[in-house]
Amino acid sequence: MTSGLRKKHARVWTVLLFLVPAGIVTGWLAIPANPITEPAAVDKTAALPEILYSLQKKNYTVNLRSDNKRSSLQLEWISKSGLSSPSALIYLASGPSASVTSNSLIGRIEGKGTFYFPLKNDLSTIPGFILYDIIHHQVIDRVNF
Amino acid sequence: MGVSYQAIGWNRQKKQYDWLIFGFCCIYLSTFILVTAIFNPEYTFETVLIRSTSTLALLILHVILCIGPLSRINRKFLSLLYNRRHLGVTMFVLAATHGIFSIIHFHALSNVNPLVSLFTSNVNYNSAGGFPFQALGFFALVIFFLMAITSHDFWLHNLSPKTWKTLHMFVYGAYFLVLMHVMLGAIQYERHPAFVLLIALGAAAVLTLHLVAGTREVKKDNSLFDPAVNGFVSVCDVNEIEDNRAKIFCVNSERIAVYRFGDTLYAIHNVCKHQGGPLGEGKIIDGCITCPWHGYQYLPNNGQSPPPFKERVSTYDVRIEGNRVWLNPSPFPEGSERPGTVISQPSN
């Protein structure tokens, strides 16, 4: 290595010595307090027997299910075809909020198929849901029964 | 070292090395896919492919960046340096697979051009958490692409070593872009502290190794010698130089390798014409000083590559007084014949 090249390397790595830790710390601090995508809380058990509410959309069907005693609540999401946003998240729509991601995360939809997500058993109000594209930071759809 | 260009300069060692890389990549990818299929069966194959290739490319990038300083610190790592380009191209292929599948997966399902969508679908440039991290990965991939297509010696010769090396030093910028791509992307979604820790440890290893190797190089450059006598500087004891090996001295900001070949000492410029490898860290093979990086060879008595090769380096005068080696740091024109100096008495 020539002396000029050694000097170039020294300058580059001196800059990186500060930039890299600063970048890592910035990224670490930017991690949101509310999880954007906790591992999808997929309920792998069978669908609960009773459909309380149902909504048909072009590409998917959404059912709100419960057991006979209404002690458990479950969201059933049937994607008939792949979504145009492949990594879509479902958030509970809990009224006007500063950002979608500050709402409670229900789970993630990965492509075609049927997904079940357990919900807190509170039927005092009929829950609504927001389908959110985390890559483009856009609301894909809102589900209100 | 070859007299004509070949698509890829494979020899037995490189073949073994490439099979090792290929085998490791296959094992890593298949293990990743299998583990994901068991623990996250809801993930699509595209998602698993995007994740497995990205993590493997990131791992290999760290290894690549560690090879340079490791080979400065310990000669045992020189064989890795000799094969580093193949590892770099492998890393690019994996990163490109990740990039292409990501663009298709995340941007090709609408009526907007995928590349336009990549840059316009998220414009939160003033937010760290919501930063359009994919653009960072895209620019890193462009750098890796330029490096991969110019990795062949054809481009080294046609672009000139200086331009080629400058282009390839952009890998450090690409490394930073990749780190930020990961930190502002996947780390924001996969929040487990282990991922942040792994990234931090990898970066710490790369930075520390470069710092250690760089500090050693600075020490070498700052070596002090007694004032010159008749143009000659006393550099070392003759016993300090092993047969077929050299010691490197930095005099007047230039590094010079003093080689011992049998009972004769020769001095040549330390920088290989190929990629600036340290000739003084190589050894004499078949009567030729052989660069430890890629095997380029020079005759010790005139600094010329043996015919039909045409590379030449500067030569220097060296002499022995008593047991001391004296070196004249004024270079002779590249390829100049110098007689060297004979070690007259057994020095041991």
Side-chain angles (χ1 to χ4, degrees):
Chain A
M1 204 182 283
T2 60
S3 59
L5 210 48
R6 285 199 295 278
K7 280 177 190 165
K8 271 188 196 172
H9 273 86
R11 282 191 213 114
V12 168
W13 283 104
T14 304
V15 172
L16 285 178
L17 196 62
F18 294 97
L19 268 185
V20 167
I24 290 174
V25 170
T26 304
W28 178 50
L29 292 176
I31 296 172
N34 292 325
I36 297 178
T37 65
E38 276 296 296
V42 179
D43 191 345
K44 289 170 183 166
T45 56
L48 294 179
E50 193 174 339
I51 295 178
L52 301 178
Y53 302 98
S54 183
L55 191 70
Q56 301 278 337
K57 294 264 184 175
K58 185 184 171 189
N59 292 325
Y60 42 86
T61 300
V62 185
N63 295 325
L64 194 62
R65 289 178 168 272
S66 177
D67 59 0
N68 296 331
K69 296 176 184 173
R70 300 284 168 90
S71 59
S72 299
L73 206 56
Q74 185 186 53
L75 176 70
E76 181 184 44
W77 193 289
I78 305 165
S79 281
K80 297 165 193 165
S81 59
L83 295 172
S84 59
S85 300
S87 277
L89 300 180
I90 304 169
Y91 285 91
L92 191 67
S94 52
S97 178
S99 69
V100 173
T101 54
S102 61
N103 290 309
S104 296
L105 177 67
I106 302 298
R108 174 162 38 197
I109 300 292
E110 282 270 338
K112 190 178 172 184
T114 302
F115 301 83
Y116 296 101
F117 305 101
L119 297 172
K120 285 179 184 170
N121 187 19
D122 179 10
L123 281 172
S124 55
T125 56
I126 303 164
F129 302 95
I130 302 169
L131 192 61
Y132 189 68
D133 179 347
I134 50 163
I135 299 298
H136 304 94
H137 293 278
Q138 289 168 350
V139 172
I140 302 165
D141 200 2
R142 288 177 188 271
V143 175
N144 294 304
F145 296 105
Chain B
M1 190 173 187
V3 69
S4 61
Y5 295 119
Q6 293 176 328
I8 300 173
W10 266 310
N11 54 31
R12 188 169 168 270
Q13 190 195 24
K14 279 195 187 291
K15 278 181 187 171
Q16 286 175 341
Y17 188 85
D18 286 348
W19 276 114
L20 198 68
I21 296 172
F22 181 72
F24 174 74
C25 289
C26 287
I27 290 169
Y28 181 96
L29 293 173
S30 52
T31 306
F32 196 108
I33 291 166
L34 192 66
V35 169
T36 309
I38 293 168
F39 292 102
N40 298 94
E42 70 278 10
Y43 285 176
T44 59
F45 181 72
E46 290 95 326
T47 300
V48 180
L49 192 67
I50 285 168
R51 292 182 179 199
S52 59
T53 49
S54 64
T55 50
L56 181 54
L58 186 64
L59 176 66
I60 293 178
L61 178 62
H62 277 84
V63 172
I64 289 169
L65 288 173
C66 288
I67 288 174
L70 278 174
S71 63
R72 312 296 304 152
I73 294 165
N74 192 322
R75 281 183 180 177
K76 286 178 184 171
F77 293 99
L78 279 169
S79 61
L80 293 178
L81 191 72
Y82 177 63
N83 297 288
R84 189 170 56 175
R85 271 193 269 185
H86 288 204
L87 199 58
V89 174
T90 305
M91 187 275 295
F92 164 71
V93 171
L94 290 163
T97 306
H98 163 76
I100 290 166
F101 271 87
S102 294
I103 289 173
I104 293 171
H105 194 57
F106 295 116
H107 296 281
L109 298 174
S110 72
N111 57 355
V112 180
N113 180 302
L115 288 179
V116 174
S117 169
L118 176 69
F119 289 103
T120 57
S121 58
N122 177 12
V123 289
N124 294 321
Y125 288 95
N126 57 353
S127 155
F131 196 86
F133 66 95
Q134 290 180 316
L136 301 174
F138 177 83
F139 287 121
L141 191 58
V142 169
I143 294 173
F144 293 142
F145 172 72
L146 291 174
M147 290 178 64
I149 60 164
T150 59
S151 63
H152 196 274
D153 269 358
F154 171 83
W155 288 105
L156 177 70
H157 288 296
N158 285 284
L159 291 173
S160 83
K162 190 181 174 186
T163 309
W164 189 89
K165 199 71 190 173
T166 303
L167 172 67
H168 282 240
M169 277 183 70
F170 275 90
V171 68
Y172 304 135
Y175 174 59
F176 181 67
L177 288 173
V178 166
L179 280 185
M180 295 315 295
H181 171 71
V182 175
M183 287 305 300
L184 300 179
I187 294 293
Q188 302 297 311
Y189 310 128
E190 307 293 343
R191 299 160 9 108
H192 199 286
F195 295 121
V196 182
L197 191 66
L198 279 174
I199 295 290
L201 283 176
V206 170
L207 287 170
T208 306
L209 283 171
H210 277 87
L211 204 64
V212 170
T215 306
R216 288 165 66 122
E217 296 298 308
V218 169
K219 273 186 188 170
K220 275 184 197 171
D221 281 348
N222 292 339
S223 305
L224 291 174
F225 300 100
D226 291 334
V229 178
N230 297 326
F232 282 79
V233 176
S234 174
V235 288
C236 71
D237 195 282
V238 73
N239 297 321
E240 293 177 38
I241 307 176
E242 296 173 42
D243 193 19
N244 293 326
R245 293 278 187 181
K247 269 188 81 84
I248 301 165
F249 305 100
C250 188
V251 190
N252 298 343
S253 301
E254 280 300 338
R255 288 192 181 183
I256 300 163
V258 177
Y259 259 98
R260 178 171 181 164
F261 182 35
D263 62 351
T264 311
L265 293 184
Y266 298 97
I268 67 166
H269 195 224
N270 189 53
V271 180
C272 179
K273 286 290 178 183
H274 177 223
Q275 276 194 35
L279 291 176
E281 292 176 26
K283 57 185 174 184
I284 293 180
I285 299 173
D286 299 330
C288 288
I289 292 168
T290 305
C291 180
W293 283 11
H294 302 101
Y296 272 55
Q297 292 190 307
Y298 303 87
L299 293 164
N301 55 313
N302 58 20
Q304 296 178 16
S305 291
F309 306 103
K310 294 176 180 174
E311 284 79 13
R312 294 173 172 194
V313 293
S314 300
T315 50
Y316 298 82
D317 266 347
V318 62
R319 72 185 190 203
I320 299 169
E321 285 183 13
N323 263 357
R324 293 298 294 174
V325 177
W326 292 74
L327 176 66
N328 189 332
S330 301
F332 285 88
E334 291 173 352
S336 297
E337 183 81 26
R338 303 310 302 158
T341 186
V342 176
I343 304 167
S344 54
Q345 295 173 355
S347 50
N348 294 321

